[in-house]
Amino acid sequence: MATKKRKKEEKLPVGLRDKRIPKLFGILLIALAVYLFFAFFSYTFTWKQDQDKVMDYSWSTMLAGDIHVANWLGRLGAIISHMFFYWGFGLPSFFFAAVAALYGIDLFTEKPIRNRSLLVITGLLAMLYFSVALELFIPDTAFPLGGALGENIAKWMRNTLGIMGAVIAVILIPILLLFWLINPRTASWEDFKTDMHLWWDTIAFGRRRPPLVEKEEEKTKEQISPKARDEEPKPTTLRPGQRHPDDLAEEERLKAREEKQKEILKKLNPKKEEKQLELPLDDEPARHGNKAPSDGAELIIQEDGDKPSFLNEEEDFPGLQKEEELPPYDPTLDLANYKFPTLDLLNNYADHKIEIDRKELEANKDQIIETLLNYKIEITKIRATVGPTVTLYEIVPAPGVRISRIKNLEDDIALSLAALGIRIIAPIPGRGTIGIEVPNKKKQIVSLKEIIASEKFQEARMALPIALGKTISNEIFIADLAKMPHLLIAGATGQGKSVGINAILISLLYKMHPSQLKLVLIDPKKVELFPYAKLDRHFLSFLPDQEEPITTETNKVVYTLNSLCIEMDMRYDLLKKAHARNIQEYNTKFIARKLNPKKGHRFLPFIVLVIDEFADLIMTAGRDIEQPIGRLAQLSRAVGIHLIIATQRPSVNIITGIIKANFPARIAYKVASKVDSRTILDTGGADQLIGRGDMLMSIDGKLKRLQSAFVDTPEVERVIEFIHEQPGFPNPHYLPEYSADEDSQGSSGFKLSDLDELFEEAARLVVQNQHGSTSMIQRRLKLGYNRAGRIMDQLEAFGIVGPSEGSKAREVLYYTMEELERFLNELKNNK
């Protein structure tokens, strides 16, 4: 039988897991290292004879018959050596051969190669450093000591820092790098040597023992006398019934440890001395990393038996550790290598900047003054503030002039200037002047790159900073979505609404880490937000049974909104348990490790819901959409859920009083009529905008005219692709499960023959975890949402779980696995 098995193994095809593959690669790497070493070594003697032959080489040199080189390894050795020494790193190229040899040895000896990244990095850095150092300290030599690379870097350092500065830099760099890699614990020379030894072990041998272990071993060795160390242990002859000294020593050690445990228990509860102690942990996560301790752990001491259980002071009693030793929880550690998008992904529209046309300003000023004089209105002062698309002319009327007279001349001034989109602000709040906004003849593009690159955005101390654009005074305007707390956007087709939404989303992606923000995107038009689908494992959140991360179907929108309401209620429950008033206080406590994840606590990311076309949803679903939107708008601010709703039709049947009351922040692009402007802003003006990103923003009743930041579709796709190419979370961020009332009542008419194949496994899973959740069945058994829902209905029908309770998990009616197994056996017998 063994012979047949061996023959079968011998016939296995060569695959990636075949142990022969890494050995073959190891042999090839070792051979390459040997080849390079002899080629390099030969080059140090033969470079003069071969240099003119390989200086302007091409691969045809390999085939030429009249070329003879002196390198020991022929033409290929001469060409490769010339590349490494003359054009590359010079003499330090030997490091490359050494790294290849060590890597090959590891592969051949089947050592884990994951520890070799530090070796490769160290080798490359050493090549570069010594290349520069040789050219800096020994310049202008015939032999390429540092190669062309080292020569150019050394030349640049001499020109930039001077000779003395370059020397200091070369001396300082390895010292700083050494301290960075070693991270010595103290300034003690002995500790530093120990850390150096451990660091070298990590590089050369791919292993590292904890420093504290080595120190304890050294202390133990010091406590032993030299005489005892020199003597070899002698075999001990035992008489019948006599115990070995080592056994006695082990027993004494165990007794000492048991006494220590009793002392620990006395410290925790001096009045209670029992063999069994139940110690509920404080409401805080674990002390190490991001892992949490077991909730309600039971600590047991056994005084008799063959194998007594001993307590570990640090592991079993985390409350004894000092508070200052606790590392704060870092939510970004799950994606520690995540890189934020770079500015070069966005287009630069600096070429489109328009210089101020003073002739245009003077002409408009004279025309305004003349028009006002025609109606016998005198002014004492006029001043112009030039913006990217609109210029604000501030006038101070003469004493006795009524403001209403100037306000009524809005159309006449527009006619005299032959311009569209003139708006009169009478008066400008807090300025004591009257403003006349006149569009510029040549518009300037406000690029999103300029806004994001600005110091105002980069240093913004906001929870959810969004880049909106520039004011008419050419100032960058940044707002905090968390303080708005919701945003209502309206505008006719083609006036910049979708571009504005993209600018808001991209600015959030530039500022937030995936662990801090989740986006719920609803796009009934199915074409505006689809590029963001690639961010499903980074920033998006959606229903578990949803095939596409962007919600487009109306029935799924209803489910998504109700699911967000469930999430909101769950978050309020967590805030209540944590005695926190809002998400900032809650997350602060969680980061400080004052909340226990085993009791349901978790870090709460911000959730931003974006609906691109709200009117279409209201027309198709009506109250089913308006009711959860109203709940979210009223209550979700404190728990970090914020809404951005956009619509083309700001009519009263779309934007109802409930929605307007809970959306104090509103943006209006150009609309068709004054009625639409009053619907969205409670005042006119949006009908007089000039389009193409020109907008009015109302925050708490105060209007501000802005030019929206422009970001094109290719820019959006580049940013999304940059994030998509990075590793994301293992699973998407799912919203809580939600099903309509008729889908969640269960059924009592199931037949035994109709039970799902995974019914028993799902029953065991639910009872074992004491948690009745469809999403848990779906994820743990890797099922679709619909099938998991049917299994949950079957579990309810057979009395294993209770009925649905909305946002809460179903009650599990079986408390032990023994009871469940008896029930399942009865079901099998009845089949």
Side-chain angles (χ1 to χ4, degrees):
M1 195 72 182
T3 308
K4 290 183 179 179
K5 187 175 181 181
R6 192 178 301 112
K7 289 182 178 179
K8 196 171 185 180
E9 290 177 353
E10 290 173 356
K11 293 180 181 180
L12 285 175
V14 177
L16 292 178
R17 296 185 179 180
D18 196 317
K19 293 184 178 180
R20 291 171 291 185
I21 297 297
K23 288 185 178 181
L24 290 177
F25 277 109
I27 294 172
L28 290 176
L29 274 178
I30 295 171
L32 175 64
V34 174
Y35 183 90
L36 290 178
F37 173 78
F38 283 106
F40 294 167
F41 188 73
S42 174
Y43 181 85
T44 59
F45 301 101
T46 63
W47 65 276
K48 289 184 179 180
Q49 299 95 306
D50 296 344
Q51 194 173 64
D52 60 329
K53 301 172 185 176
V54 296
M55 179 64 72
D56 299 322
Y57 74 92
S58 64
W59 290 112
S60 60
T61 307
M62 296 289 299
L63 304 175
D66 56 345
I67 297 179
H68 300 282
V69 297
N71 193 286
W72 298 347
L73 296 177
R75 298 173 191 170
L76 182 60
I79 292 174
I80 293 176
S81 301
H82 182 73
M83 291 171 59
F84 270 92
F85 276 74
Y86 190 84
W87 296 112
F89 300 91
L91 204 57
S93 299
F94 281 100
F95 281 105
F96 188 86
V99 170
L102 291 175
Y103 216 105
I105 292 171
D106 275 3
L107 287 172
F108 185 76
T109 56
E110 299 183 5
K111 290 184 179 178
I113 61 173
R114 61 179 178 271
N115 299 322
R116 282 299 171 194
S117 58
L118 186 58
L119 170 67
V120 175
I121 294 172
T122 306
L124 294 176
L125 289 177
M127 286 172 62
L128 181 62
Y129 172 77
F130 286 108
S131 174
V132 175
L134 287 172
E135 287 294 334
L136 190 65
F137 291 110
I138 314 175
D140 302 327
T141 58
F143 183 80
L145 289 175
L149 183 62
E151 182 181 5
N152 289 329
I153 296 176
K155 183 178 179 180
W156 174 81
M157 291 179 66
R158 283 195 296 267
N159 295 336
T160 305
L161 305 176
I163 297 178
M164 185 60 67
V167 170
I168 294 174
V170 168
I171 296 174
L172 194 60
I173 285 173
I175 297 175
L176 297 177
L177 186 62
L178 197 62
F179 271 81
W180 174 263
L181 293 174
I182 296 174
N183 189 20
R185 299 184 299 277
T186 64
S188 168
W189 174 246
E190 294 298 327
D191 286 344
F192 183 76
K193 287 195 299 184
T194 302
D195 289 325
M196 278 284 292
H197 173 69
L198 295 174
W199 175 71
W200 176 249
D201 274 357
T202 304
I203 295 177
F205 305 107
R207 66 174 185 269
R208 179 165 187 163
R209 290 190 299 169
L212 295 178
V213 174
E214 291 196 348
K215 281 199 165 187
E216 292 297 329
E217 292 177 356
E218 291 174 4
K219 290 180 180 179
T220 305
K221 291 178 180 179
E222 290 174 2
Q223 293 172 359
I224 301 174
S225 64
K227 183 177 181 181
R229 282 200 300 265
D230 295 337
E231 291 181 358
E232 295 182 1
K234 298 179 180 179
T236 305
T237 303
L238 300 178
R239 295 189 299 272
Q242 184 181 0
R243 302 184 65 182
H244 197 281
D246 291 346
D247 295 337
L248 296 174
E250 179 68 13
E251 183 177 340
E252 292 296 327
R253 186 183 67 81
L254 296 178
K255 287 183 179 180
R257 185 169 181 179
E258 187 175 348
E259 292 296 328
K260 186 178 181 181
Q261 294 170 33
K262 292 181 180 179
E263 292 179 6
I264 295 173
L265 295 176
K266 278 187 177 182
K267 290 180 182 178
L268 291 172
N269 197 346
K271 296 181 179 180
K272 188 174 181 180
E273 295 183 11
E274 296 179 0
K275 295 183 181 180
Q276 181 169 320
L277 172 68
E278 185 174 340
L279 179 66
L281 299 179
D282 288 336
D283 201 16
E284 62 183 21
R287 303 308 203 237
H288 306 287
N290 283 336
K291 295 182 180 178
S294 299
D295 186 20
E298 187 178 61
L299 307 177
I300 300 174
I301 297 178
Q302 300 176 353
E303 293 189 6
D304 53 0
D306 296 331
K307 295 183 179 180
S309 299
F310 294 99
L311 303 179
N312 185 289
E313 182 174 351
E314 294 183 6
E315 295 177 1
D316 296 329
F317 294 93
L320 294 181
Q321 299 186 27
K322 295 181 180 179
E323 191 69 25
E324 56 269 21
E325 295 178 356
L326 305 180
Y329 175 84
D330 186 358
T332 64
L333 286 181
D334 291 333
L335 287 183
N337 297 324
Y338 175 79
K339 295 180 181 178
F340 287 84
T342 56
L343 287 175
D344 59 351
L345 299 171
L346 301 176
N347 292 342
N348 188 2
Y349 296 96
D351 298 338
H352 296 269
K353 289 188 176 181
I354 306 298
E355 297 292 335
I356 297 175
D357 190 345
R358 302 200 65 84
K359 292 182 179 180
E360 180 185 348
L361 295 178
E362 291 292 333
N364 287 342
K365 182 191 73 171
D366 296 339
Q367 197 65 45
I368 292 173
I369 294 173
E370 183 180 348
T371 303
L372 294 176
L373 287 176
N374 290 338
Y375 293 92
K376 298 180 181 180
I377 297 175
E378 296 182 0
I379 60 175
T380 60
K381 186 186 296 184
I382 184 169
R383 183 177 64 182
T385 303
V386 182
T389 56
V390 175
T391 298
L392 174 65
Y393 295 87
E394 294 182 69
I395 61 175
V396 179
V401 176
R402 292 185 177 180
I403 295 176
S404 60
R405 292 183 61 192
I406 301 177
K407 180 69 175 175
N408 293 333
L409 294 176
E410 192 169 65
D411 294 335
D412 298 282
I413 296 174
L415 178 63
S416 65
L417 295 175
L420 295 174
I422 287 181
R423 195 171 71 101
I424 295 181
I425 311 170
I428 297 177
R431 301 286 288 272
T433 59
I434 296 174
I436 302 175
E437 295 174 350
V438 181
N440 300 333
K441 291 182 179 179
K442 295 181 179 180
K443 314 301 190 288
Q444 174 186 335
I445 296 178
V446 177
S447 68
L448 182 63
K449 180 176 183 178
E450 180 184 0
I451 306 295
I452 292 180
S454 66
E455 184 178 352
K456 190 172 185 179
F457 182 83
Q458 294 293 333
E459 298 183 0
R461 302 297 181 188
M462 301 178 181
L464 291 172
I466 54 177
L468 293 176
K470 285 187 177 182
T471 64
I472 56 175
S473 59
N474 218 32
E475 295 179 357
I476 292 173
F477 188 81
I478 310 295
D480 189 357
L481 180 61
K483 292 183 178 179
M484 288 184 178
H486 311 297
L487 182 59
L488 185 61
I489 303 175
T493 303
Q495 304 304 318
K497 186 171 72 279
S498 296
V499 173
I501 292 176
N502 279 328
I504 290 173
L505 292 176
I506 294 298
S507 60
L508 288 174
L509 296 183
Y510 266 88
K511 198 69 174 178
M512 307 296 291
H513 189 275
S515 63
Q516 301 168 339
L517 172 67
K518 298 300 172 186
L519 301 174
V520 180
L521 303 182
I522 297 176
D523 182 15
K525 293 188 291 187
K526 304 180 182 180
V527 294
E528 295 293 345
L529 301 176
F530 75 91
Y532 295 91
K534 292 184 177 181
L535 304 182
D536 57 338
R537 294 186 182 273
H538 295 85
F539 284 99
L540 297 191
S541 183
F542 47 92
L543 293 173
D545 63 329
Q546 199 166 306
E547 295 181 359
E548 295 292 332
I550 309 297
T551 308
T552 56
E553 300 176 5
T554 304
N555 62 330
K556 290 294 184 182
V557 172
V558 175
Y559 284 19
T560 298
L561 295 177
N562 283 281
S563 178
L564 275 174
C565 291
I566 296 173
E567 173 71 17
M568 177 182 69
D569 295 336
M570 293 169 61
R571 289 188 172 206
Y572 268 113
D573 290 340
L574 292 177
L575 262 64
K576 179 182 177 181
K577 292 178 182 178
H579 304 288
R581 293 177 298 175
N582 52 51
I583 187 174
Q584 286 84 6
E585 291 184 8
Y586 179 89
N587 282 339
T588 300
K589 287 186 176 182
F590 191 88
I591 290 173
R593 299 189 178 276
K594 296 179 180 178
L595 303 175
N596 190 349
K598 291 298 182 181
K599 294 186 177 180
H601 292 292
R602 54 192 169 93
F603 180 82
L604 300 180
F606 285 100
I607 297 178
V608 177
L609 168 67
V610 180
I611 303 177
D612 187 46
E613 186 44 68
F614 186 62
D616 181 73
L617 298 177
I618 293 295
M619 290 174 61
T620 55
R623 185 166 179 80
D624 291 338
I625 295 291
E626 185 179 349
Q627 185 175 0
I629 286 288
R631 283 203 67 212
L632 291 170
Q634 293 178 70
L635 300 173
S636 64
R637 172 182 182 174
V639 293
I641 301 176
H642 303 279
L643 281 60
I644 300 176
I645 294 178
T647 180
Q648 296 180 20
R649 300 171 52 199
S651 54
V652 291
N653 61 329
I654 302 298
I655 303 176
T656 61
I658 295 177
I659 293 177
K660 288 182 64 174
N662 292 286
F663 281 77
R666 305 169 198 166
I667 289 178
Y669 292 90
K670 183 175 176 60
V671 294
S673 65
K674 290 185 179 180
V675 175
D676 290 343
S677 178
R678 292 192 184 98
T679 302
I680 182 68
L681 296 176
D682 295 326
T683 185
D687 56 312
Q688 297 172 316
L689 299 174
I690 61 176
R692 298 182 63 84
D694 189 19
M695 67 182 187
L696 287 173
M697 183 169 187
S698 171
I699 300 181
D700 298 327
K702 299 178 181 179
L703 281 182
K704 187 180 290 289
R705 191 168 185 175
L706 304 171
Q707 177 61 37
S708 177
F710 178 74
V711 57
D712 205 358
T713 303
E715 300 175 70
V716 174
E717 292 175 347
R718 286 198 296 269
V719 173
I720 292 172
E721 192 63 31
F722 178 86
I723 299 174
H724 170 67
E725 290 176 351
Q726 301 185 53
F729 294 105
N731 297 306
H733 184 274
Y734 291 117
L735 294 173
E737 62 181 66
Y738 172 82
S739 58
D741 293 339
E742 61 269 20
D743 296 329
S744 60
Q745 292 175 355
S747 172
S748 58
F750 286 109
K751 299 179 181 179
L752 295 178
S753 58
D754 296 334
L755 289 179
D756 194 280
E757 295 177 355
L758 296 176
F759 172 83
E760 293 185 8
E761 188 173 353
R764 294 186 181 96
L765 179 66
V766 167
V767 174
Q768 185 177 5
N769 291 276
Q770 287 294 300
H771 183 77
S773 168
T774 304
S775 61
M776 183 186 71
I777 295 177
Q778 178 193 7
R779 294 170 191 168
R780 297 286 288 274
L781 300 183
K782 298 180 180 180
L783 303 176
Y785 186 83
N786 293 332
R787 185 180 178 186
R790 287 195 299 270
I791 294 177
M792 182 60 73
D793 290 340
Q794 294 171 3
L795 293 174
E796 179 186 352
F798 285 94
I800 297 176
V801 298
S804 175
E805 297 180 11
S807 62
K808 297 181 179 178
R810 293 171 183 256
E811 181 183 4
V812 181
L813 303 179
Y814 282 78
Y815 299 101
T816 64
M817 294 297 293
E818 289 77 14
E819 293 177 356
L820 176 66
E821 292 298 334
R822 284 196 296 268
F823 174 75
L824 294 178
N825 289 330
E826 291 176 4
L827 283 182
K828 292 179 182 178
N829 296 331
N830 291 329
K831 279 188 178 181

